[in-house]
Amino acid sequence: MDAWGDHAVSCLKNGIGKRHTTVQEWLLQTARRAGVPCTREAGLPDGTVPADVLCHAWQGKGPLAVDLTIVNPLRPSASRPSTETVKKLLAHEEQAKLAKYESTCRRAGWRFQPLVIHPWTGLTS
């Protein structure tokens, strides 16, 4: 552990990775309690895994793939940011996920929704 606690919030094993798993588990349990059947880390036949959580038959419209991204708060573009900077960063990350997975999910009959989270300041729309 370093004096400022930077390692605790950026380490893949105990920081960002653990946050991702915690949010994923919360989303799974919340959906299941609401009666929505879900699968963790669902993949497509082409080998991509766009869904950290796949909600089956979401609102009667077919599967919804939710991709979680936790932004490292210590990235130079993310640390101690202004609200406007965070909004731009989160929107950029969200657009990158949409570009990567949205068309693949659509072809498979899935809807796709990225959920990008900054641990200190917020999440995407």
Side-chain angles (χ1 to χ4, degrees):
M1 182 60 70
D2 58 292
W4 300 104
D6 295 351
H7 181 78
V9 296
S10 62
C11 174
L12 290 177
K13 182 177 180 186
N14 295 314
I16 296 296
K18 187 169 184 169
R19 282 187 191 90
H20 181 276
T21 303
T22 300
V23 173
Q24 180 186 44
E25 186 61 31
W26 173 85
L27 185 57
L28 277 165
Q29 294 305 318
T30 301
R32 288 174 178 162
R33 285 186 187 123
V36 178
C38 295
T39 305
R40 177 190 321 264
E41 302 293 336
L44 293 168
D46 67 359
T48 60
V49 183
D52 289 309
V53 175
L54 180 66
C55 298
H56 305 276
W58 180 253
Q59 297 181 343
K61 298 178 183 174
L64 171 66
V66 179
D67 179 85
L68 302 170
T69 300
I70 309 294
V71 174
N72 182 342
L74 299 177
R75 282 178 24 185
S77 61
S79 64
R80 312 241 188 267
S82 68
T83 301
E84 193 58 37
T85 301
V86 170
K87 286 180 181 178
K88 287 178 184 177
L89 173 67
L90 296 178
H92 178 269
E93 294 292 329
E94 184 177 53
Q95 289 304 311
K97 289 292 185 168
L98 286 167
K100 184 174 182 179
Y101 291 125
E102 188 174 38
S103 64
T104 303
C105 285
R106 191 178 311 120
R107 284 191 301 275
W110 295 2
R111 291 178 25 218
F112 178 74
Q113 179 60 55
L115 179 60
V116 184
I117 302 168
H118 186 288
W120 297 340
T121 56
L123 51 108
T124 55
S125 57

